[in-house]
């Protein structure tokens, strides 16, 4: 399954040792899910994950954030967005994730903020990419992490 993860899903997966977002990170590590990334989304992930308030909550220092992102990006499919679909969604900061989803022909865009991905103008069609919460994606997967799985994405 090829997915675009909004930054809120990455944060949630790093903040908690349980929950759907954490299981998605484990599924990425197990190569059950392939995240799609672009230069813009990786820059966004890094900027948000390195904010002092986020590092405090995740317990990751700057080096640990770099290690996590390196591992995440190494498992990702890199997509070049050749065209823009802007303006297409309500939150302009999320346009890069919408464009990545369309350009990469993602199976879904995963976010907690579904309202941010509603069409900006109801006269224009949606992105034609499902926008789902992490739990919705887990219900589609038959894979589950084993009790003994040791994750490189875990808290230190």
């Amino acid at each position: 399954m090829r997915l675009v993860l909004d930054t809120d899903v990455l944060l949630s997966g790093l903040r908690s040792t349980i929950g759907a977002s954490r299981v998605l990170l484990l599924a990425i590590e197990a190569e059950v899910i392939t995240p799609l990334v672009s230069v813009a989304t990786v820059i966004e992930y890094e900027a948000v994950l390195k904010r002092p308030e986020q590092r405090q909550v995740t317990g990751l220092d700057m080096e640990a954030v770099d290690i996590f992102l390196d591992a995440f990006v190494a498992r990702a499919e890199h997509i070049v967005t050749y065209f823009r679909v802007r303006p297409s969604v309500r939150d302009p900061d999320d346009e890069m994730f919408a464009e990545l989803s369309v350009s990469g022909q993602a199976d879904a865009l995963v976010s907690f903020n579904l309202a941010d991905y509603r069409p900006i103008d109801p006269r224009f069609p949606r992105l034609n990419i499902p926008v789902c919460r992490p739990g919705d994606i887990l219900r589609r997967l038959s894979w589950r992490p084993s009790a003994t799985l040791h994750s490189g994405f875990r808290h230190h």
Side-chain angles (χ1 to χ4, degrees):
M1 183 177 290
R2 299 167 71 250
L3 302 175
V4 172
L5 302 183
D6 195 342
T7 311
D8 61 351
V9 176
L10 274 186
L11 277 172
S12 178
L14 289 171
R15 291 171 95 161
S16 171
T17 57
I18 59 172
S21 297
R22 180 51 144 222
V23 175
L24 289 182
L25 291 182
L26 294 172
I28 290 166
E29 188 174 30
E31 299 180 352
V32 173
I33 290 173
T34 301
L36 305 183
V37 297
S38 66
V39 171
T41 60
V42 173
I43 290 169
E44 169 74 3
Y45 294 152
E46 181 178 35
V48 172
L49 293 176
K50 286 188 173 181
R51 290 178 186 160
E53 65 273 16
Q54 298 302 342
R55 287 187 294 110
Q56 181 179 3
V57 177
T58 62
L60 301 175
D61 61 20
M62 297 288 253
E63 183 180 358
V65 170
D66 288 338
I67 290 168
F68 166 77
L69 285 174
D70 287 348
F72 182 83
V73 169
R75 289 173 175 82
E77 182 178 336
H78 303 257
I79 304 294
V80 176
T81 53
Y82 290 105
F83 57 91
R84 299 205 181 250
V85 295
R86 297 177 191 201
S88 62
V89 297
R90 294 183 187 267
D91 185 345
D93 292 336
D94 288 330
E95 292 284 0
M96 72 178 92
F97 296 103
E99 289 173 349
L100 176 58
S101 298
V102 171
S103 293
Q105 300 177 343
D107 294 313
L109 191 160
V110 187
S111 178
F112 287 103
N113 301 317
L114 302 185
D116 290 353
Y117 292 98
R118 288 192 186 122
I120 195 165
D121 187 334
R123 296 174 297 171
F124 296 106
R126 294 184 48 109
L127 298 171
N128 292 327
I129 300 289
V131 181
C132 308
R133 288 188 171 93
D136 299 329
I137 297 298
L138 282 188
R139 284 187 276 286
R140 293 186 197 176
L141 291 179
S142 59
W143 177 89
R144 293 292 181 264
S146 71
T148 60
L149 180 67
H150 295 287
S151 172
F153 291 159
R154 69 176 176 220
H155 289 278
H156 296 285

